[in-house]
Amino acid sequence: MRNLVWHILVCVALATSAWAANMVDAEQVAKQHKASFHWFPVQKTFILAGESDTLKFAIGLPYVNTHGKSVDLKHAPEIADGHILLDSLDVANLYKAGNTQTAAVAPASSSSLAKVSSSSVKVAAAPAAATAKTTPVATPKNETAGTREVKTIVIDPGHGGKDTGAQGKNSNEKDIVLAVGKLLKKELEKEGFKVKMTRDKDVFIELGERANLANQWDGDLFISLHCNAIDASPERKKQIKGYHVYVLRAPESEEDKAIARRENKVATLYGEKNAKEELSPLEWFKLEARLEKYKQNSYMFTEQMLKAFDDGKIKRQGGGVGGAGFMVLVGALMPAVLFEIGFISNPEEEAYMMTNKAQADIASRISKAVSNYKAAVHNYRETLGRQ
């Protein structure tokens, strides 16, 4: 028995030694391949930003996000003595011949490792943008949402049918957002947009199906309309008010997590396939490569929403912007936001949102934000020489 234990320990030691011999320092990899190194200590993630691709890693997860997809790694990145380490075979596979002109990275040693700290966030700037050409660049074929001109808007009035959504003293969320959605459709059509609605009557549609519809319609922007609510004392309900615009990203507060769980609960409540109230860290990591394509434009639209509602009756709640794992946004292959119009649990905001005047004003402001977003995208395309 003692010999068996000794044999196992020897094998483990040899395996550990072999793994250690194949470790390379992530910052050294970045230097060898002319990429900038970015370390995010809170999320325990880091990226190597090169000219042709950005590789995103997470400590302890055997995956890397590259070229918009998740790729398996032989070994998960590790932190040892304050250093970020990668398997040299993984590095070799990621930087195959033809992808880089640089030499292979030498195995890490105690003298070559660079210490990792929060100051590592301040890294070398990404390669400077190429000088703009005088001749326009030809418009790429089959441009994706977020890079092409904004033409098709998908409006998603939340909940519906058997799913009432949040309930106020005198109203249901599903009715308010449907009324706003219909008015918004008319406003956008006046501005020349092609508009689709996931529902235009009081029917129930699964969360996953809403994003699928948006993709089928090849939308350029997805707007999911909701009303917020809290379960609290009457006095507390009177205090909590305001609108909030959410994008799909890892939540930064317990409040954002709670709101996402409430909106996602309908999927589990009605037995939707693959339903869940919250995404795991691994799911977030694998999702982020795809989100990267649309994240910037989602924020661009969010900025226009804040401007459009700045002088409205319903004011921002906090900063007015948040992020969480809303399942209705997960499958949308386009810039997307979830808009909590106001708190239906707040008597004052509920009474206001129930009026035709308020619903028309809210729809008009969203329409203004969409038009301004369209102009911003158009201007950006012009700077790239696209027509």
Side-chain angles (χ1 to χ4, degrees):
M1 182 67 180
R2 183 179 298 175
N3 289 338
L4 176 61
V5 172
W6 176 253
H7 179 72
I8 292 173
L9 290 174
V10 169
C11 290
V12 170
L14 289 174
T16 303
S17 176
W19 156 237
N22 287 324
M23 291 188 297
V24 291
D25 177 64
E27 290 193 70
Q28 295 299 322
V29 171
K31 290 178 182 178
Q32 289 284 346
H33 296 282
K34 299 180 180 179
S36 58
F37 173 80
H38 306 253
W39 164 242
F40 305 95
V42 177
Q43 299 95 330
K44 291 293 189 296
T45 62
F46 62 98
I47 63 175
L48 307 182
E51 292 183 0
S52 61
D53 188 23
T54 295
L55 306 177
K56 182 168 183 178
F57 302 85
I59 301 301
L61 295 181
Y63 304 95
V64 59
N65 284 332
T66 173
H67 291 297
K69 63 181 180 179
S70 179
V71 176
D72 292 347
L73 296 174
K74 291 182 179 296
H75 295 283
E78 294 184 3
I79 295 181
D81 298 325
H83 312 299
I84 294 180
L85 304 177
L86 292 167
D87 187 291
S88 60
L89 293 177
D90 285 324
V91 173
N93 288 333
L94 290 169
Y95 290 98
K96 291 177 182 177
N99 292 339
T100 178
Q101 300 296 320
T102 56
V105 184
S109 65
S110 58
S111 60
S112 67
L113 291 175
K115 280 284 183 180
V116 173
S117 68
S118 58
S119 63
S120 299
V121 174
K122 298 178 181 178
V123 295
T131 305
K133 297 181 180 180
T134 53
T135 44
V137 178
T139 303
K141 294 181 179 179
N142 302 320
E143 287 183 294
T144 59
T147 64
R148 64 194 179 203
E149 295 285 4
V150 180
K151 297 179 180 178
T152 303
I153 311 301
V154 180
I155 303 170
D156 172 49
H159 309 280
K162 60 186 177 182
D163 174 22
T164 61
Q167 295 178 304
K169 187 176 181 180
N170 301 300
S171 64
N172 292 322
E173 177 182 4
K174 68 172 185 176
D175 299 319
I176 291 176
V177 296
L178 179 58
V180 172
K182 288 180 176 180
L183 292 171
L184 176 57
K185 182 176 186 290
K186 292 179 180 179
E187 290 285 335
L188 291 172
E189 287 176 338
K190 289 178 185 177
E191 297 298 320
F193 291 100
K194 179 181 179 181
V195 185
K196 294 286 189 178
M197 295 184 70
T198 57
R199 70 179 185 97
D200 57 8
K201 53 188 175 183
D202 188 19
V203 294
F204 173 76
I205 300 176
E206 293 187 348
L207 292 184
E209 181 60 20
R210 294 168 189 257
N212 288 338
L213 288 170
N215 295 335
Q216 290 173 25
W217 294 325
D218 200 19
D220 294 306
L221 180 64
F222 182 81
I223 307 171
S224 189
L225 301 174
H226 293 262
C227 295
N228 218 332
I230 59 167
D231 184 13
S233 65
E235 285 304 313
R236 181 67 173 160
K237 288 181 177 180
K238 290 179 182 179
Q239 296 172 0
I240 304 300
K241 60 175 69 175
Y243 75 82
H244 221 89
V245 188
Y246 289 93
V247 297
L248 183 61
R249 71 164 187 239
E252 297 176 351
S253 70
E254 288 302 318
E255 181 183 359
D256 286 349
K257 285 184 181 180
I259 291 171
R261 283 195 294 268
R262 179 175 65 79
E263 295 293 359
N264 294 340
K265 191 174 182 179
V266 59
T268 55
L269 185 64
Y270 294 112
E272 189 169 334
K273 187 179 180 181
N274 300 322
K276 57 185 65 182
E277 292 185 17
E278 199 166 342
L279 294 174
S280 70
L282 175 58
E283 288 169 323
W284 269 119
F285 181 74
K286 299 183 79 170
L287 179 64
E288 280 182 351
R290 178 163 60 78
L291 292 181
E292 203 65 34
K293 298 179 183 179
Y294 315 112
K295 183 168 65 176
Q296 192 58 43
N297 281 59
S298 296
Y299 281 120
M300 191 187 301
F301 176 64
T302 297
E303 182 181 354
Q304 297 302 330
M305 286 284 282
L306 296 180
K307 291 178 180 178
F309 279 84
D310 256 357
D311 59 348
K313 183 173 177 61
I314 299 179
K315 305 302 180 183
R316 297 186 196 181
Q317 184 201 19
V321 181
F326 295 99
M327 298 307 296
V328 70
L329 302 182
V330 167
L333 303 178
M334 64 198 69
V337 301
L338 184 143
F339 182 41
E340 297 279 7
I341 297 170
F343 276 81
I344 199 172
S345 53
N346 178 282
E348 180 184 346
E349 287 193 346
E350 180 195 18
Y352 176 68
M353 291 188 293
M354 288 176 64
T355 66
N356 294 334
K357 179 180 178 181
Q359 292 165 4
D361 181 66
I362 292 166
S364 177
R365 292 176 186 277
I366 299 175
S367 177
K368 180 181 178 181
V370 173
S371 293
N372 289 340
Y373 167 71
K374 175 186 177 180
V377 172
H378 177 75
N379 291 339
Y380 178 68
R381 284 172 56 82
E382 283 192 332
T383 66
L384 299 178
R386 294 179 182 175
Q387 297 176 347

